[in-house]
Amino acid sequence: MQVINKEAHEAFDNNLHPGSWNISINARLGEEAVSGEVLADIAQDRDDVIVLTADLMFSNRMSDFAKVHPNKFFNFGISEQNMVAAAAGLATTGKKPYVASFASFLALLCCEQIRTSVAYPKLPVRILAHHAGMTMGFYGTSHHALEDLSILRSMADMTIICPSDRTQIRAALESTVDYDGPIYFRLGRGREPLVYEDGIPEFKVGKAIKVREGNDMTIITNGLTLAASVDAADQLKEEGISVQVLDMHTIKPFDEDAVKQAVKETGRIMTVEEHSVIGGIGSCVAEILADNGLTCKFGRHGVYDEYALIGPPKDLYKHYQLDAKGVANKVKEFFK
Amino acid sequence: MKTEIIEKDTLDFLYDRAKFIRLETVRLVDIAKSGHYTSVFSCAEVFSALYYRILNIDPNNPDWTDRDRFVLSKGHAAIGLYPVLAELGYFPKEWLDSYTRVGSPLGDHPDMRKVPGIDFSSGSLGHGLSVSVGMALGGRIDDRDFKVYCMLGDGELNEGQIWEAAMSAGNFKLSNLIAIVDRNQMSLDGFTEDIMPVNPIDEKFKAFGWNTYEVDGHDIKSLLETFQHVEEHKNEKPTVIIAHTLKGKGVKGMELNNDWHLGYLSEADRKRVEEEILHASNK
């Protein structure tokens, strides 16, 4: 029954009018989804890098890897739990398996496989959890991941890195191939604005990067909300509020010293995250403040213990005040 | 449902509703500017047969205890189900115009907390058959004679949980459970038999103690006859109906074209696709 009418496909696709798109056209828009390309480069020099995905090779651009290294690529179909456990098995044979799927399916559907088969044996499985937060917009709660940091953070021996743009994805992947134990990479949908236009001189796991200097307060953020926070800081500067922005790209291990320094320098901290305010970056900072008996004005901004609405991502960011304007508003409220 | 002769008028009506489902899908994708065309086009006839003929439901009473349940485990086909539910009166048709807009109850995947007529939320593949097992058990414990229909994607059969559910349904002898596999041959990355083969589907279910049927999923007469046959030959087993379909059925340029798993048609392209759907002959 598998009869493909190639002529009909070509006639249809070749006659498409401006504005129409399908998956192959859309994939070209996700140009920040560079993990597949970066891993393909890394795998040129080494045989142990293996990529696995679960029927999403075009959504996550692992097809870029598969094209170059077909023998190091395995498509597990729609079986994420099987894939994650198989990655654990691969890791025991000396490989560095990278598993890629939607963050919601990896962190939530495969939670137990990750904890028991990956983290507990401390295997070097790299989890590429893309489309995290609410980047899946109107695909709804099943496809949103606003709980992943909270879940993953509580697993011992887990490293968690949240790169913000294509430069940082490259830096993070390149510098961690031989990193000890499992790593959870929290990624966007491949349309993230470029924050690090001039590259990152020294990317180091667990070492925050000061992206903007400021005296009045510090925003601690990362990944999906870094660009919005930077834009907000730039806007606020013009309005006379001097905001420092820390890119806390590593959630675990968390850069405690950077938090202590921020307290000392600005006396005010607000965390911004595309995640539940429970268990994410806000909680991390709160724990550090409490543990160290530090006092400062402190606020957590993110999604407040609710399931995000359905809607296009841009509208959701506006609604939840996670775009530049929203973050700037939250800062002004913070000063009231 | 009683055994009855299937009238031509009935078939014409149901084919017309399948067209309506495809056309509404095209319209709603236009609102969202993104959507699953082909995953709905493959199961439009099954939706039509179920909702306009087979299911024992009362749209005025969506929570009616004795209603038949329908679990759309392949939740990404919800865009084709919403127009049916609206037409049947589960919610105002105006809701459709808000499809996927911020705050709308209608998202790409169906949400039981927001949409009357949706018996269970779905979107993460592999859950629906287990949920249906639970519903069927509940019905039997309370001695109610409703049936649970569960629509699975064929790619979804890759999920291990499906086979745990299949094993349990056979073990619990859930004669009130009817799974329908939309065997449209493709998942997102390509043909299922290339990505992660699922054949033979019937033998797998048989091994777990199920009745199995194979039917042309675009032939409404055969679909209705199959549902009748299931009803008349009820035994102690759950039933799976493997509906052989074409992903993208009804639009030649989209049929078995996995580029169109997701997409968007601008106005000129929408018009030509609508024409093609409107003028397609039945079966």
Side-chain angles (χ1 to χ4, degrees):
Chain A
M1 210 171 154
Q2 292 186 5
V3 186
I4 305 180
N5 188 341
K6 279 229 160 88
E7 279 173 29
H9 291 184
E10 277 166 24
F12 189 77
D13 289 354
N14 291 340
N15 286 320
L16 285 178
H17 293 75
S20 297
W21 59 266
N22 61 25
I23 285 179
S24 64
I25 296 167
N26 193 47
R28 289 171 226 150
L29 297 175
E31 57 183 20
E32 303 297 315
V34 293
S35 326
E37 184 189 310
V38 173
L39 290 171
D41 293 346
I42 294 171
Q44 294 291 6
D45 302 324
R46 44 195 301 162
D47 293 329
D48 56 351
V49 169
I50 309 288
V51 169
L52 320 179
T53 191
D55 201 45
L56 287 174
M57 65 187 281
F58 300 105
S59 308
N60 56 31
R61 300 280 298 266
M62 288 305 137
S63 51
D64 294 342
F65 181 91
K67 261 185 289 181
V68 189
H69 305 288
N71 299 329
K72 298 176 188 172
F73 173 79
F74 297 95
N75 195 332
F76 272 71
I78 309 171
S79 67
E80 298 79 7
Q81 296 168 84
N82 183 34
M83 172 176 73
V84 168
L90 267 165
T92 64
T93 67
K95 302 296 181 203
K96 302 276 195 270
Y98 289 75
V99 297
S101 187
F102 291 144
S104 56
F105 301 158
L106 288 170
L108 287 107
L109 182 62
C110 303
C111 174
E112 208 267 338
Q113 282 83 2
I114 292 176
R115 189 211 52 168
T116 312
S117 297
V118 173
Y120 175 55
K122 212 176 174 187
L123 293 166
V125 172
R126 282 72 174 99
I127 299 159
L128 301 173
H130 52 88
H131 291 78
M134 55 178 109
T135 56
M136 288 296 280
F138 53 72
Y139 291 83
T141 305
S142 62
H143 284 58
H144 292 168
L146 293 165
E147 308 86 354
D148 57 331
L149 292 178
S150 172
I151 293 167
L152 269 292
R153 200 163 76 79
S154 61
M155 294 184 192
D157 293 328
M158 180 61 69
T159 297
I160 304 173
I161 301 175
C162 311
S164 56
D165 67 2
R166 98 168 86 95
T167 311
Q168 201 169 38
I169 290 173
R170 182 170 280 279
L173 288 175
E174 284 178 347
S175 61
T176 54
V177 183
D178 291 311
Y179 198 83
D180 200 22
I183 308 175
Y184 181 86
F185 291 98
R186 189 179 205 241
L187 305 169
R189 61 174 178 153
R191 305 212 191 153
E192 292 67 44
L194 201 54
V195 178
Y196 293 102
E197 289 183 43
D198 307 321
I200 302 174
E202 200 193 358
F203 178 89
K204 210 160 165 278
V205 175
K207 184 92 185 72
I209 300 171
K210 198 179 280 185
V211 186
R212 286 290 184 276
E213 301 273 358
N215 311 314
D216 297 331
M217 72 171 293
T218 305
I219 290 180
I220 299 181
T221 184
N222 64 19
L224 304 167
T225 42
L226 180 62
S229 299
V230 167
D231 289 348
D234 292 345
Q235 281 176 30
L236 290 163
K237 194 173 184 183
E238 287 171 20
E239 298 174 39
I241 304 175
S242 171
V243 178
Q244 165 171 295
V245 180
L246 277 188
D247 174 7
M248 195 63 72
H249 52 74
T250 308
I251 286 283
K252 202 179 178 188
F254 207 86
D255 189 347
E256 278 204 36
D257 291 341
V259 176
K260 291 177 188 164
Q261 192 69 23
V263 174
K264 215 179 285 172
E265 287 173 3
T266 64
R268 301 181 186 91
I269 295 177
M270 188 173 91
T271 54
V272 177
E273 58 191 323
E274 188 176 334
H275 186 274
S276 167
V277 292
I278 298 173
I281 203 167
S283 295
C284 293
V285 174
E287 288 163 16
I288 290 166
L289 296 177
D291 285 348
N292 293 282
L294 299 172
T295 44
C296 78
K297 188 166 163 57
F298 173 66
R300 291 174 297 161
H301 180 39
V303 179
Y304 301 91
D305 200 20
E306 64 173 297
Y307 294 100
L309 296 176
I310 285 162
K314 198 163 67 102
D315 296 345
L316 292 180
Y317 296 143
K318 192 174 166 199
H319 178 85
Y320 289 103
Q321 302 210 67
L322 288 167
D323 56 1
K325 197 176 159 202
V327 173
N329 283 342
K330 287 307 262 191
V331 169
K332 284 185 219 164
E333 278 175 30
F334 188 84
F335 274 97
K336 267 177 198 165
Chain B
M1 199 180 97
K2 302 243 162 45
T3 304
E4 54 190 294
I5 306 297
I6 301 161
E7 304 281 354
K8 184 175 176 302
D9 285 355
T10 302
L11 289 177
D12 286 346
F13 170 72
L14 294 177
Y15 277 114
D16 189 61
R17 290 302 81 193
K19 273 186 189 178
F20 160 77
I21 289 165
R22 290 192 174 91
L23 289 171
E24 280 291 276
T25 299
V26 172
R27 181 174 80 87
L28 296 190
V29 172
D30 189 55
I31 297 171
K33 303 282 184 277
S34 163
H36 293 93
Y37 293 104
T38 54
S39 309
V40 177
F41 290 177
S42 63
C43 59
E45 279 78 16
V46 177
F47 279 173
S48 173
L50 282 174
Y51 271 88
Y52 293 99
R53 190 73 181 177
I54 300 295
L55 294 179
N56 184 25
I57 46 179
D58 178 6
N60 292 318
N61 192 1
D63 298 326
W64 175 38
T65 316
D66 284 318
R67 73 189 186 281
D68 285 346
R69 268 69 168 175
F70 179 67
V71 175
L72 181 63
S73 196
K74 50 168 282 186
H76 51 290
I79 187 174
L81 194 53
Y82 296 144
V84 172
L85 296 178
E87 189 182 62
L88 291 174
Y90 280 100
F91 54 79
K93 285 181 184 166
E94 292 71 42
W95 283 23
L96 296 173
D97 301 329
S98 78
Y99 174 67
T100 69
R101 298 302 87 189
V102 70
S104 171
L106 307 178
D108 188 87
H109 296 93
D111 188 331
M112 67 197 283
R113 287 174 53 173
K114 294 179 179 144
V115 189
I118 294 295
D119 286 318
F120 210 85
S121 308
S122 50
S124 180
L125 295 173
H127 298 203
L129 193 57
S130 302
V131 170
S132 303
V133 164
M135 289 177 173
L137 278 172
R140 196 172 66 192
I141 291 164
D142 289 346
D143 212 12
R144 297 184 186 278
D145 63 1
F146 65 77
K147 288 191 268 302
V148 182
Y149 293 84
C150 175
M151 183 183 276
L152 303 164
D154 49 1
E156 186 179 10
L157 301 182
N158 292 161
E159 294 280 14
Q161 190 179 347
I162 294 291
W163 303 105
E164 297 173 24
M167 197 182 293
S168 61
N171 179 43
F172 299 137
K173 301 184 169 51
L174 295 175
S175 57
N176 51 350
L177 172 63
I178 298 156
I180 302 154
V181 176
D182 180 10
R183 182 67 176 118
N184 66 20
Q185 309 176 54
M186 302 190 99
S187 59
L188 213 166
D189 282 352
F191 283 107
T192 58
E193 298 315 283
D194 294 335
I195 305 294
M196 187 58 69
V198 293
N199 280 337
I201 299 173
D202 60 330
E203 288 177 28
K204 288 191 179 81
F205 277 96
K206 261 193 199 122
F208 288 124
W210 289 55
N211 304 310
T212 65
Y213 291 82
E214 309 230 16
V215 61
D216 178 343
H218 298 303
D219 181 345
I220 293 180
K221 188 159 180 283
S222 300
L223 282 169
L224 295 182
E225 286 168 355
T226 304
F227 287 123
Q228 275 184 12
H229 195 274
V230 172
E231 178 69 18
E232 286 162 8
H233 295 79
K234 210 170 159 181
N235 53 15
E236 288 202 322
K237 297 175 173 181
T239 296
V240 61
I241 298 170
I242 302 158
H244 290 278
T245 59
L246 278 183
K247 187 154 174 169
K249 169 74 177 178
V251 178
K252 284 276 176 288
M254 291 184 175
E255 286 176 1
L256 297 182
N257 183 349
N258 68 323
D259 279 347
W260 285 98
H261 178 87
L262 262 184
Y264 170 72
L265 297 168
S266 63
E267 193 181 350
D269 297 314
R270 198 169 72 244
K271 288 274 185 300
R272 66 179 167 131
V273 160
E274 285 168 350
E275 285 297 309
E276 188 176 343
I277 293 169
L278 265 177
H279 297 110
S281 57
N282 294 345
K283 176 59 191 122

